[in-house]
């Protein structure tokens, strides 16, 4: 086995001069010249020096677990999955699949595209991806990138640990709920006692390494060497600017006027601020007196959908890129040509308060780990190393030292735990409090989540899932919204509730406040007198009636990518309801009866948040 693994590793590292007849072991076809071009770039990555050490540890780990620790941009997310695929191919695993999780769907898509290119394989065949509303895999897929929450749903729906032989949990330091829980479930499963000898690789930032090492019981660790570039010394502002967007834009324009080489990465807290920054810069960069093409301004956030791939395109055009993003690119989306970072030092996160059963937007400082990761971005990555970079922090140094926590906050301590407990109950874990967590949620948060599930009739008298609870766990929705969707079958408003569920789950449909009176008037025409829920339905229906036209959305300040996402999700929900044979209804939006029925369906799921005066609308 070891000799076969070594031979595969050596073959995939050949250059054209070393073997002109080398064939790809995954599809049996000769390697293309493009493969060798990318191979030279891969060999320049810092992680390449740890290649054989990693493969040895993966083969010999007594527990079946290997930790990989390295900085952002070192090549972990692209190279580790390929080496795991080589390992799986050499061992001839029966399940024959390497699954790689990512905390964000867009990161899974982006990595699948890049890795398929590097492996000289066809996306959707040997390499694929699974993200919400899109499954690009096939029967011969060996390497699959997926959103970690989708894998958690798969594990909760099956016995054992799922259909994989090697599992790579990437970006563990992001502390997503799904990643933390998957690690707890896998630790409880004791990999060494499972058939087929599965392997788990946990990839993390060095700052999070000690906690993972203790959690997994001191497994072997592969340390990725630091890159050859040098991080620039951060430049701190004396005070926090009152207008972050304006300060960031001025810093970008100043870099462009200085003609400092390299692309620019701007970190702002929210998607709204990203949009405002991009709009301002797009207007201003065209007026700059700089040689060559004007800079390209590109947003990078989940609401932009698959269009974020533009940040990797046109690398040879000569135009500078200005990428404006937020926490999404703290550890994911490494861009080799970045040499200048402008960091606001803040993030906008949704935090759930179990005492009032409400979620609020919290503007807070990023962690020291995130700040260091952003500074590392200015160093660049192979094959691009430019002589000088910069990192401008739009806050005082004391702000980070006094206000910033050492690590990102675990999301399991900040989210509504009802969906999580619904999955655990489906997994037949009777006492969720006994499950291993990297950081245990507050007991009152667990109790409140169990109470909510009980109020929704998702639990029986024994505390297990009821028949209704099993159906609720099938839907990729919060339990309250899933219950409202099921109630719409009784009140004959399924068509409208499907639309509303999709719009509430997808990214926000409005990108920003109106920019002018004309845009405000067009948006007011989409508002409904009954309130926000009816307005969302009206926006979606107008979007569909206008052929899902992107220009139509832009003139009204609507998020075209988010509305397309809602359209896909609505189709997925409709297909799921048809599969489990739930009754449907004809569209009737706008009638008085439909208005009352929609209210009844919503109250059936959100009765804990209902208040009002006047005649009752609760179903009898």
């Amino acid at each position: 086995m070891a000799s076969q693994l070594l031979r595969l590793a050596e073959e995939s590292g050949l250059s054209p001069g070393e073997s002109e007849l080398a064939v790809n072991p995954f599809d049996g076809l000769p390697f293309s010249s493009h493969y060798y071009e990318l191979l030279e770039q891969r060999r320049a990555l810092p992680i390449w020096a740890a290649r054989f050490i990693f493969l040895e540890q993966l083969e010999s780990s007594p527990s079946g677990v290997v930790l990989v620790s390295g900085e952002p941009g070192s090549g972990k997310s692209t190279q580790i999955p390929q080496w795991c695929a080589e390992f799986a191919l050499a061992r001839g695993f029966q399940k024959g699949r390497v699954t790689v999780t990512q905390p964000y769907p867009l990161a899974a898509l982006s990595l699948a595209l890049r890795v398929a290119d590097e492996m000289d394989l066809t996306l959707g065949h040997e390499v694929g991806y699974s993200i919400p509303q899109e499954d690009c895999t096939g029967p011969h897929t060996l390497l699959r990138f997926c959103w970690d929450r989708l894998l958690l749903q798969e594990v909760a729906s099956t016995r054992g640990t799922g259909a994989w032989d090697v599992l790579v949990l990437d970006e563990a330091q992001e502390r997503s709920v799904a990643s933390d829980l998957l690690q707890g479930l896998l630790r409880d499963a004791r990999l060494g006692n499972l058939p087929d000898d599965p392997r788990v690789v946990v990839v993390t930032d060095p700052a999070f390494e000690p906690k993972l090492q203790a959690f997994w019981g001191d497994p072997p660790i592969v340390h990725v060497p630091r890159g050859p570039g040098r991080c620039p010394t951060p430049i701190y502002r004396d005070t926090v600017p009152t207008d972050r967007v304006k300060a960031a834009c001025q810093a970008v324009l100043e870099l462009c006027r200085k003609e400092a080489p390299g692309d620019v990465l701007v970190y702002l807290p929210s998607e709204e601020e990203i949009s405002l920054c991009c709009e301002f810069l797009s207007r201003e960069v065209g007026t700059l007196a700089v040689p060559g093409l004007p800079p390209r301004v590109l947003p990078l956030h989940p609401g932009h959908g698959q269009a974020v791939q533009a940040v990797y395109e046109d690398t040879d055009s000569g135009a500078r890129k200005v990428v404006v993003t937020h926490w999404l690119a703290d550890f994911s989306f490494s861009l080799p040509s970045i040499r200048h970072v402008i960091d606001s030092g803040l993030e906008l996160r949704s935090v759930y308060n179990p005492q009032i059963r409400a979620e609020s937007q919290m503007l807070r400082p990023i962690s020291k780990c995130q700040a260091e990761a952003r500074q590392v971005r200015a160093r660049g990555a192979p094959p691009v190393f430019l002589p000088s970079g910069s990192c401008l922090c739009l806050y005082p140094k004391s702000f980070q030292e006094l206000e910033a926590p050492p690590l990102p906050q675990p999301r399991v301590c900040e989210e509504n735990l009802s969906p999580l407990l619904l999955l655990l109950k489906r997994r037949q874990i009777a006492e969720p409090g006994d499950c291993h967590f990297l950081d245990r949620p507050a007991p009152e948060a667990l109790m409140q989540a169990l109470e909510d599930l009980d109020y929704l009739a998702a639990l029986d008298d024994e505390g297990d899932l009821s028949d209704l609870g099993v159906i609720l766990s099938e839907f990729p929705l919060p339990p309250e919204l899933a219950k409202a969707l099921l109630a719409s079958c009784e009140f004959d408003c399924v068509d409208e509730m499907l639309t509303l569920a999709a719009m509430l789950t997808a990214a926000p449909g409005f990108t920003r406040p109106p920019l002018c009176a004309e845009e405000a008037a067009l948006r007011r025409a989409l508002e409904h007198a009954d309130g926000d829920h009816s307005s969302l339905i009206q926006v979606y229906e107008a979007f569909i009636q206008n052929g899902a036209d992107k220009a139509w959305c832009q003139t009204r300040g609507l998020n075209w990518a988010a509305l397309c996402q809602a359209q896909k999700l609505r189709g997925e929900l409709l297909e799921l309801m048809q599969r489990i044979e739930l009754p449907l209804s004809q569209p009737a939006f706008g009638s008085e009866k439909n208005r009352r029925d929609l209210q009844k369906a919503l109250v059936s799921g959100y009765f804990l948040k209902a208040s009002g005066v006047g005649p009752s609308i609760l179903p009898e």
Side-chain angles (χ1 to χ4, degrees):
M1 163 62 200
S3 61
Q4 185 180 3
L5 185 60
L6 183 62
R7 179 175 57 80
L8 274 172
E10 289 174 345
E11 283 181 358
S12 60
L14 291 174
S15 65
E18 292 168 332
S19 176
E20 295 182 358
L21 299 178
V23 297
N24 194 323
F26 297 100
D27 63 5
L29 299 175
F31 287 118
S32 67
S33 58
H34 181 61
Y35 168 83
Y36 293 107
E37 293 173 2
L38 294 178
L39 179 60
E40 291 304 312
Q41 298 178 17
R42 294 170 59 196
R43 283 173 163 169
L45 292 169
I47 197 172
W48 194 265
R51 185 181 185 211
F52 287 104
I53 297 174
F54 170 76
L55 290 171
E56 289 173 0
Q57 298 286 16
L58 190 62
E59 169 64 25
S60 61
S61 173
S63 63
V65 179
V66 177
L67 296 186
V68 179
S69 174
E71 294 179 338
S74 60
K76 308 184 303 296
S77 297
T78 55
Q79 304 312 301
I80 292 294
Q82 297 184 56
W83 300 341
C84 289
E86 294 171 7
F87 175 81
L89 185 65
R91 294 193 65 160
F93 277 127
Q94 294 299 315
K95 296 177 185 175
R97 174 171 284 187
V98 177
T99 296
V100 184
T101 67
Q102 289 291 325
Y104 309 115
L106 287 179
L109 168 64
S110 177
L111 284 170
L113 291 168
R114 175 65 185 183
V115 169
D117 198 27
E118 289 188 356
M119 295 180 72
D120 213 16
L121 297 172
T122 304
L123 187 66
H125 291 267
E126 296 84 8
V127 179
Y129 62 88
S130 299
I131 59 176
Q133 296 91 56
E134 192 168 356
D135 182 22
C136 184
T137 61
H140 302 294
T141 298
L142 174 68
L143 177 56
R144 177 178 73 133
F145 292 83
C146 76
W147 186 33
D148 54 14
R149 194 166 292 242
L150 286 182
L151 182 65
L152 179 60
Q153 291 171 350
E154 293 174 11
V155 170
S157 303
T158 59
R159 294 186 181 274
T161 56
W164 51 266
D165 292 298
V166 182
L167 175 62
V168 181
L169 298 171
D170 199 5
E171 309 295 7
Q173 75 283 346
E174 291 273 15
R175 305 306 309 275
S176 71
V177 172
S179 178
D180 278 15
L181 185 56
L182 282 168
Q183 292 185 69
L185 294 175
L186 292 170
R187 176 182 157 176
D188 292 342
R190 300 187 183 278
L191 297 176
N193 299 331
L194 296 176
D196 300 326
D197 198 17
R199 293 287 191 270
V200 171
V201 180
V202 184
V203 184
T204 185
D205 186 84
F208 195 47
E209 177 191 320
K211 190 176 186 70
L212 288 176
Q213 186 178 11
F215 180 81
W216 284 103
D218 200 22
I221 303 176
V222 177
H223 292 100
V224 181
R226 293 182 62 118
R230 185 179 64 85
C231 291
T233 302
I235 301 172
Y236 295 93
R237 288 284 175 89
D238 294 334
T239 59
V240 177
T242 55
D243 188 338
R244 289 183 297 272
V245 174
K246 182 179 179 181
C249 291
Q250 289 175 343
V252 170
L253 295 175
E254 184 178 348
L255 281 172
C256 293
R257 293 189 187 100
K258 289 181 178 178
E259 300 180 21
D263 294 339
V264 184
L265 187 60
V266 182
Y267 286 97
L268 291 170
S270 67
E271 293 186 13
E272 180 179 338
E273 289 180 309
I274 292 172
S275 298
L276 291 173
C277 181
C278 289
E279 289 170 1
F280 179 83
L281 288 175
S282 297
R283 292 194 303 268
E284 294 297 320
V285 294
T287 63
L288 292 175
V290 295
L293 297 173
R296 295 182 62 205
V297 182
L298 301 168
L300 176 56
H301 59 77
H304 205 53
Q306 297 187 13
V308 299
Q309 284 301 116
V311 300
Y312 292 106
E313 297 171 357
D314 297 329
T315 55
D316 298 325
S317 66
R320 183 202 298 270
K321 292 179 186 175
V322 178
V323 180
V324 190
T325 186
H326 56 13
W327 40 260
L328 176 67
D330 282 340
F331 302 100
S332 303
F333 294 93
S334 295
L335 303 169
S337 57
I338 294 295
R339 294 301 291 156
H340 305 281
V341 171
I342 300 169
D343 181 16
S344 67
L346 297 169
E347 64 178 6
L348 187 69
R349 291 283 195 172
S350 296
V351 178
Y352 183 76
N353 186 338
Q355 295 180 341
I356 60 174
R357 290 184 169 89
E359 198 173 70
S360 59
Q361 297 286 302
M362 181 177 292
L363 184 67
R364 64 190 185 190
I366 60 173
S367 66
K368 292 183 174 67
C369 176
Q370 291 170 277
E372 291 171 2
R374 294 180 179 187
Q375 292 167 16
V376 168
R377 297 294 195 192
R379 187 174 64 194
V384 179
F385 282 116
L386 296 174
S388 61
S390 65
C391 179
L392 173 62
C393 301
L394 301 177
Y395 52 88
K397 188 174 183 179
S398 59
F399 174 78
Q400 184 189 55
E401 294 174 345
L402 299 176
E403 302 289 338
L407 294 169
Q409 296 294 325
R411 300 299 297 161
V412 74
C413 298
E414 297 186 333
E415 290 191 7
N416 183 358
L417 298 182
S418 296
L420 171 65
L421 295 192
L422 196 63
L423 287 175
L424 289 177
K425 289 292 184 181
R426 180 165 179 164
R427 183 75 177 174
Q428 296 182 343
I429 296 177
E431 296 295 335
D434 294 337
C435 181
H436 282 105
F437 290 97
L438 278 162
D439 285 280
R440 187 173 298 279
E444 55 269 22
L446 287 170
M447 286 302 301
Q448 179 264 315
L450 285 171
E451 287 179 1
D452 287 357
L453 292 180
D454 189 39
Y455 291 146
L456 291 169
L459 305 179
D460 59 21
D461 294 339
E462 304 298 324
D464 299 323
L465 280 189
S466 63
D467 292 340
L468 176 61
V470 173
I471 297 176
L472 292 179
S473 68
E474 289 281 347
F475 287 89
L477 301 171
E480 302 89 348
L481 188 53
K483 178 69 179 293
L485 183 56
L486 290 180
S488 70
C489 299
E490 177 185 354
F491 298 114
D492 295 325
C493 55
V494 176
D495 187 82
E496 292 75 23
M497 200 64 217
L498 279 170
T499 299
L500 184 55
M503 290 291 286
L504 290 172
T505 307
F510 298 96
T511 57
R512 45 166 172 70
L515 296 178
C516 60
E518 182 182 359
E519 184 177 311
L522 291 172
R523 187 178 291 188
R524 278 196 301 271
L526 298 173
E527 296 176 0
H528 196 282
D530 286 345
D532 291 344
H533 289 136
S534 295
S535 294
L536 288 175
I537 297 173
Q538 189 152 285
V539 167
Y540 178 84
E541 291 194 347
F543 171 72
I544 297 300
Q545 290 169 4
N546 285 273
D549 183 56
K550 191 172 185 178
W552 181 86
C553 292
Q554 290 174 339
T555 57
R556 290 158 177 81
L558 299 177
N559 189 333
W560 177 79
L563 290 172
C564 290
Q565 181 188 2
Q567 185 180 16
K568 290 182 180 179
L569 178 57
R570 189 186 188 282
E572 181 181 305
L573 295 173
L574 177 59
E575 183 180 343
L576 179 57
M577 295 189 72
Q578 292 172 334
R579 178 165 58 82
I580 57 182
E581 298 181 350
L582 293 172
L584 305 177
S585 61
Q586 294 298 317
F589 182 66
S591 68
E592 180 62 24
K593 181 179 182 302
N594 180 263
R595 171 178 172 271
R596 299 283 294 177
D597 290 340
L598 190 60
Q599 290 174 340
K600 292 176 182 179
L602 282 168
V603 170
S604 297
Y606 290 96
F607 51 86
L608 290 173
K609 299 178 181 178
S611 64
V613 294
S616 173
I617 61 171
L618 290 172
E620 298 178 357

